[in-house]
Amino acid sequence: LGRVEDAAVQFDGLRESEQELASAQLVSGRLALAKGEPGDAVRALRPLAEGEGATTDVRALYGEALRRAGSGQAAAEVFSSVIEVDEGHPEALLGFAEVLLRGNKAGDASDHVRTALASLERRIRPPSVRARALMLKGRVALAEDDEDRAAEALREAVAIESVSPEAYFYLCEALSG
């Protein structure tokens, strides 16, 4: 719901023994990402993601923490391993697409975004995930010098309440041609 400060207060209210539980470490990782502290998220999520029985959701979240911490190659490997198990995992597909875009591989990123958007038609995810997918679709179009296609995707993205503010930046880029 975006109430990061409330969640942080509740987390801090847990006893130390409770904060060490796997479920609490997952919350800790999510909180760190929400606060813009990807290094802390990596530290909280690594044992969960590398442990036996790690879910694809936890591994994709760990990949996102690595990506935001600037470890693109490590993030790509994690996202790839998630996609091997679940070829339609939206967060892994979008995270991998961001790594590919950063590496100037718009064509490959486009394939991942397209697969993620198709997957979102069949999976329940918060609107922010669709907004991210549409923003990435627009970024891919910009990288391919297709401002009209970019503007279309980015207009759709900014119509979603939970869109990242950077979508507006890319929309301006597309409209300025």
Side-chain angles (χ1 to χ4, degrees), residues 21-22 24-30 32-33 37-55 57-67 69-75 77-78:
L21 295 172
Q25 287 303 299
L26 180 58
V27 170
S28 175
R30 287 185 187 281
L33 282 175
E37 300 166 352
D40 290 344
V42 168
R43 283 186 288 285
L45 296 169
R46 178 177 284 130
L48 302 176
E50 294 178 351
E52 194 162 322
T55 66
D57 288 340
V58 168
R59 290 179 26 230
L61 186 62
Y62 175 59
E64 184 63 19
L66 287 167
R67 185 190 68 75
S71 300
Q73 182 61 40
E77 290 170 9
V78 171

Side-chain angles (χ1 to χ4, degrees), residues 9 13 27 39 50-51 62 69 93 95 100-101 103 112 124 126 132 143 153-154 156 163:
V9 167
V27 170
E50 294 178 351
Y62 175 59
L93 288 161
L100 291 167
L101 262 176
H112 285 75
I124 297 172
R132 180 181 179 197
L154 291 162
E156 193 175 344
V163 71

